[in-house]
Amino acid sequence: MHDSLIHLSSAGVSLLLDVSGDDLPAIVHWGAALGSLSEDDARMLALAAVEPVVPNAGDVPIRVALLPEGWRGWTGKPGVEGHRDGADWSPRFRTERVTLGGSDLVVTFTEADAGTVVVESEDATAGLHLVTEIELTGSGVVRARATLRNTADDHYDVAALNIAFPLPPNAREILDFAGRWGKERTPQRSALVVGIHEREGRKGRTGADAATVLSVGVPGFGFGAGEVWGVHVGFSGNHRAYAERLFSGVQVIGGGELLLPGEIRLATGEEYSGPWVYGVWGDGLDEQAARIHRMLRARPRHPRRPRPVTLNVWEAVYFDHDRQRLWDLADRAEALGVERFVLDDGWFRGRRDDTAGLGDWFVDEEVWPDGLRPLAEHVRDRGMEFGIWFEPEMVSPDSDLAREHPEWILATGGRMPVLARNQLVLDIARDDAYAFVLERIREVLRETAASYIKWDHNRDLVDPGHGPRGVPGVHGQTLAAYRMMAELKELFPELEIESCSSGGARVDLGVIEHTDRVWVSDCIDPLERQQMNRWTAQLLPPELLGSHVASGVSHSTGRSHTLAFRAATALHGHFGIEWDLAAATPDELHELGEWIALYKESRALMHTGEMVRIDTSDPTLHLYGSVSEERDSALFVLASIGRSEVSPLGRFALRGLDPDARYRVRPVLPGGAPRGLIRPPWFGADDRGVELTGRALATAGLHTPSMHPESAIVLDVSAVR
Ligand code: GLA
């Protein structure tokens, strides 16, 4: 058959694919760009990548396909796992067709920039057809997806479709994320040793502890430098991501959906597609993140209009839906310049606390005798959008819905799952349950003309059995949630959706295809958010990170912080407020107004610019920001997150600027200088700052001001013409 190599290259990344013979596609090189290659170069590279045959191994070198195959002697995690009543479990696929950009590949070597390669392969004996899609995006992200079709007469049980990307031998240090409620995306580093570092997500949602991006890099890699290869599974249901090092020194990172026993059983002609698995290489974590950010920003449906300053009422009123209080909160919000007002949990029937009501998506007549429209109109009359909270996939046992339709609860036959937050999960993969919830949401959106849903999902799926037999249902449930979001957006083209899940437990590239921001965490303590926002940004750009200013004493940690630290920390995201403004002092409101003005002035820069996180010399210093596309302006936040053994902290350098341009760097201090700030001389008279070239700022740098712990200042960097 064909004997083909394909070299895709974009934004400094090369992907050299081997689709030779009738083999499954394999990656020869994935990483830094190789420059333009001749066919001979490409063949030499492919040859150079073949390992020698060593004693007591297979007699032919092991070729590691994107879906690695056992029949070749590969003893790592296989790409396709499944069986037909015990048989056909080790398929041997033969490639029949390769297309690039939709056209059949007829030549033996092709070079292209971004593009999609589709490989169709068949195992006629096993009765299986496999389609592998491999795309290199314009920003240099590789993503791949596999679809398996059963072509035989009896059913085929799929256990896994795993996509694996090769890692070079110098990638030996793993970085991925742990997390729990209120502390999502906590980084953890470990060594990649022989064996598997596998992260299983079995919660039926992405999980606060999801690996998010599982990276392996050259030891010591940081934000600014050090090659790193990462994998992300774009799916909100059960999933796995792993790094594997074999006895032979061969290493891969991979992932896919984690299927429950019997979850995918294909009848004749049926097929199953795994989620997109993303591979992201970068020289440093910032470059890795920037590739994902650019990919997301290039989507036609990426939110482009200015991200509205949001007031979410949750930490302001909780379940106290008092008309006067909410009216007053809306008035105060308007006075501050808020642009979106979101009514959180507690508006529907029976929902006076978190023990009842989920599923009864009717406005509670006792609390809202005139419905929600008067509040929504009051909000809109004040120039703000109205948003509303739903938790569509959930049901309280104490609800009319659960009483009327116990059979709509996701459960394995004959018993109910254990409660979590007093609630159970609705089986929305059932047509009737799905139709009911969709209709209710549609009605409430029509009645209130709400243009925003905070879409929550507050528990793990335990015993997620679907339908009368209670068969495994996470796959169907996850797709049903996506479908409902998509359908609502079709019905209401202006609708925006926030992905919330007990805070940030549903943050992934699957859900982000249907939503417009995520709620990073229920913990709004800025010291915690310094970490969580910084690391959630490894996957999502700042405009997608719900980031609020809460009350001075954090509701989740009890720590107290200045408004300046709270607001400076919230600044680099999709900014909002979650604070009972009636309890704020006039001085606080005035200062908050200044921060809101700063956010509005700088959101275009922060939401289109490139994110930079500086590798500072001291772990107590966070320095991060955004540099505009034209590199003529930047905004950085300098945050002290602890007390160091040295003081002052020495100089910091700014990366990402144009080396030949001159910039003025000056502190911006809404509300005045934070308590404890000791200015370095370069702040100059009246905090006018200093002028230096981008090169000088990146090399020599500027002295760090001395600051109280848990305080922050903003630095404006503007090109001088
Ligand atoms: C979850 C969310 C919160 C809030 C509550 C309401 O915990 O993460 O922001 O909406 O539910 O019950």
Side-chain angles (χ1 to χ4, degrees):
M1 279 210 50
H2 32 68
D3 193 17
S4 297
L5 292 166
I6 303 172
H7 179 212
L8 300 178
S9 187
S10 84
V13 172
S14 272
L15 180 71
L16 183 58
L17 270 179
D18 177 5
V19 288
S20 295
D22 61 2
D23 281 327
L24 284 186
I27 294 175
V28 176
H29 169 83
W30 164 47
L34 296 166
S36 184
L37 301 177
S38 68
E39 177 159 359
D40 277 352
D41 291 340
R43 296 218 172 279
M44 291 302 172
L45 266 162
L47 183 67
V50 179
E51 63 196 25
V53 171
V54 294
N56 202 26
D59 293 344
V60 282
I62 297 168
R63 183 174 178 282
V64 189
L66 216 59
L67 285 100
E69 301 163 288
W71 72 270
R72 299 215 65 132
W74 169 256
T75 53
K77 199 184 259 304
V80 179
E81 287 184 280
H83 67 98
R84 191 184 302 285
D85 204 11
D88 300 331
W89 56 274
S90 181
R92 193 275 193 242
F93 288 100
R94 292 174 199 278
T95 290
E96 299 185 327
R97 188 170 177 214
V98 181
T99 61
L100 171 61
S103 310
D104 279 299
L105 201 70
V106 284
V107 290
T108 52
F109 176 65
T110 318
E111 269 198 325
D113 44 22
T116 302
V117 176
V118 179
V119 180
E120 293 185 35
S121 319
E122 185 87 25
D123 179 341
T125 315
L128 294 172
H129 181 82
L130 179 71
V131 177
T132 315
E133 295 163 85
I134 309 137
E135 180 182 357
L136 180 68
T137 70
S139 68
V141 173
V142 180
R143 62 176 196 165
R145 176 169 74 171
T147 300
L148 189 70
R149 191 168 74 232
N150 177 16
T151 59
D153 290 339
D154 43 4
H155 63 251
Y156 191 83
D157 287 300
V158 185
L161 287 186
N162 294 312
I163 306 269
F165 300 107
L167 282 176
N170 55 339
R172 295 300 304 278
E173 183 174 342
I174 301 171
L175 167 71
D176 63 2
F177 298 93
R180 59 173 170 90
W181 177 81
K183 200 170 175 63
E184 291 86 340
R185 285 161 292 283
T186 306
Q188 50 182 17
R189 288 196 187 228
S190 54
L192 176 59
V193 294
V194 167
I196 269 201
H197 172 87
E198 180 161 13
R199 301 296 308 281
E200 290 193 335
R202 291 181 178 269
K203 296 189 154 69
R205 55 171 162 174
T206 325
D209 60 343
T212 309
V213 183
L214 189 161
S215 294
V216 189
V218 297
F221 62 87
F223 291 120
E227 280 193 288
V228 60
W229 292 258
V231 69
H232 169 78
V233 180
F235 195 61
S236 312
N238 291 342
H239 60 280
R240 66 160 60 85
Y242 60 94
E244 180 169 25
R245 176 171 163 85
L246 270 76
F247 67 96
S248 59
V250 172
Q251 315 187 129
V252 296
I253 46 172
E257 181 174 2
L258 192 158
L259 295 170
L260 295 169
E263 187 159 25
I264 299 291
R265 165 167 279 209
L266 301 176
T268 307
E270 280 184 350
E271 60 183 37
Y272 159 74
S273 290
W276 285 108
V277 179
Y278 294 81
V280 201
W281 171 84
D283 187 6
L285 291 163
D286 276 1
E287 190 176 292
Q288 183 190 59
R291 293 186 189 286
I292 311 177
H293 297 180
R294 283 202 289 271
M295 174 183 76
L296 293 174
R297 286 173 174 172
R299 299 172 305 161
R301 294 182 74 157
H302 191 72
R304 283 195 177 73
R305 71 190 170 91
R307 299 292 75 212
V309 176
T310 299
L311 182 131
N312 183 288
V313 309
W314 180 241
E315 286 203 0
V317 305
Y318 291 106
F319 287 103
D320 181 19
H321 281 204
D322 175 71
R323 185 188 151 109
Q324 203 40 51
R325 231 181 137 182
L326 288 166
W327 249 249
D328 175 67
L329 195 54
D331 293 343
R332 290 172 191 273
E334 181 205 9
L336 274 176
V338 168
E339 298 159 312
R340 177 184 278 158
F341 182 95
V342 182
L343 184 66
D344 209 284
D345 193 358
W347 55 267
F348 46 96
R349 270 187 208 159
R351 188 67 167 176
R352 303 282 54 81
D353 54 37
D354 69 8
T355 60
L358 292 173
D360 295 344
W361 305 111
F362 298 86
V363 178
D364 193 330
E365 300 83 351
E366 279 175 32
V367 185
W368 298 97
D370 305 320
L372 280 179
R373 192 187 299 205
L375 174 67
E377 279 172 3
H378 180 76
V379 164
R380 272 192 297 277
D381 287 347
R382 268 140 200 78
M384 297 179 284
E385 297 170 34
F386 182 70
I388 188 162
W389 184 95
F390 281 96
E391 201 179 354
E393 297 138 278
M394 298 291 159
V395 57
S396 306
D398 184 2
S399 66
D400 293 341
L401 181 66
R403 281 183 285 271
E404 276 161 38
H405 290 292
E407 76 284 8
W408 287 7
I409 292 166
L410 211 57
T412 49
R415 59 170 200 261
M416 279 294 150
V418 289
L419 293 179
R421 210 192 183 211
N422 310 304
Q423 65 197 56
L424 293 164
V425 187
L426 199 67
D427 184 2
I428 59 165
R430 288 178 65 113
D431 292 345
D432 41 13
Y434 179 96
F436 170 79
V437 176
L438 179 66
E439 193 273 331
R440 286 321 312 151
I441 299 177
R442 194 166 44 194
E443 260 323 293
V444 174
L445 293 186
R446 285 214 177 108
E447 185 187 325
T448 59
S451 55
Y452 182 81
I453 295 178
K454 178 175 176 183
W455 185 302
D456 217 329
H457 182 286
N458 280 321
R459 66 158 295 169
D460 294 343
L461 273 52
V462 171
D463 277 354
H466 157 75
R469 290 183 54 237
V471 297
V474 175
H475 177 77
Q477 181 80 1
T478 309
L479 297 190
Y482 289 168
R483 198 165 67 243
M484 196 181 291
M485 292 174 186
E487 235 179 289
L488 284 164
K489 286 198 156 195
E490 287 270 305
L491 288 167
F492 302 95
E494 300 298 313
L495 179 70
E496 290 197 4
I497 301 178
E498 167 173 29
S499 171
C500 177
S501 181
S502 319
R506 186 143 72 179
V507 174
D508 63 78
L509 294 186
V511 80
I512 219 68
E513 286 184 27
H514 305 283
T515 54
D516 302 279
R517 73 169 214 170
V518 301
W519 182 226
V520 174
S521 176
D522 275 351
C523 179
I524 323 179
D525 173 331
L527 184 60
E528 301 291 334
R529 280 300 191 106
Q530 277 290 331
Q531 295 290 348
M532 292 189 280
N533 288 13
R534 139 175 301 223
W535 289 111
T536 307
Q538 197 58 34
L539 187 71
L540 299 181
E543 65 272 22
L544 301 184
L545 308 183
S547 192
H548 293 176
V549 177
S551 54
V553 177
S554 165
H555 290 198
S556 26
T557 65
R559 287 196 196 107
S560 301
H561 289 110
T562 62
L563 179 52
F565 188 49
R566 280 136 63 206
T569 300
L571 189 67
H572 254 85
H574 178 176
F575 187 91
I577 301 166
E578 192 147 341
W579 178 13
D580 184 4
L581 295 175
T585 66
D587 282 353
E588 285 175 323
L589 291 175
H590 180 78
E591 184 180 341
L592 183 55
E594 288 187 23
W595 282 101
I596 290 175
L598 176 63
Y599 167 74
K600 287 182 178 173
E601 263 166 48
S602 33
R603 62 185 158 191
L605 159 64
M606 296 183 295
H607 296 171
T608 58
E610 187 152 318
M611 177 182 75
V612 175
R613 293 162 295 184
I614 304 291
D615 297 293
T616 53
S617 57
D618 192 288
T620 67
L621 183 68
H622 270 191
L623 175 57
Y624 59 93
S626 299
V627 180
S628 71
E629 281 172 304
E630 302 76 25
R631 294 201 286 177
D632 58 351
S633 60
L635 198 78
F636 283 91
V637 172
L638 191 95
S640 161
I641 58 160
R643 301 190 76 227
S644 174
E645 74 284 8
V646 297
S647 174
L649 290 181
R651 282 190 276 184
F652 63 83
L654 294 178
R655 190 158 40 76
L657 302 169
D658 176 355
D660 297 321
R662 282 185 79 73
Y663 297 90
R664 173 162 291 275
V665 186
R666 62 178 182 90
V668 184
L669 308 169
R675 220 178 323 130
L677 175 74
I678 303 177
R679 293 169 163 86
W682 68 264
F683 273 27
D686 302 326
D687 288 338
R688 287 188 56 248
V690 69
E691 268 183 37
L692 283 168
T693 61
R695 184 172 289 106
L697 288 167
T699 49
L702 297 167
H703 220 294
T704 311
S706 175
M707 288 163 35
H708 273 175
E710 295 164 36
S711 68
I713 62 164
V714 175
L715 298 176
D716 176 274
V717 183
S718 298
V720 189
R721 282 167 230 277

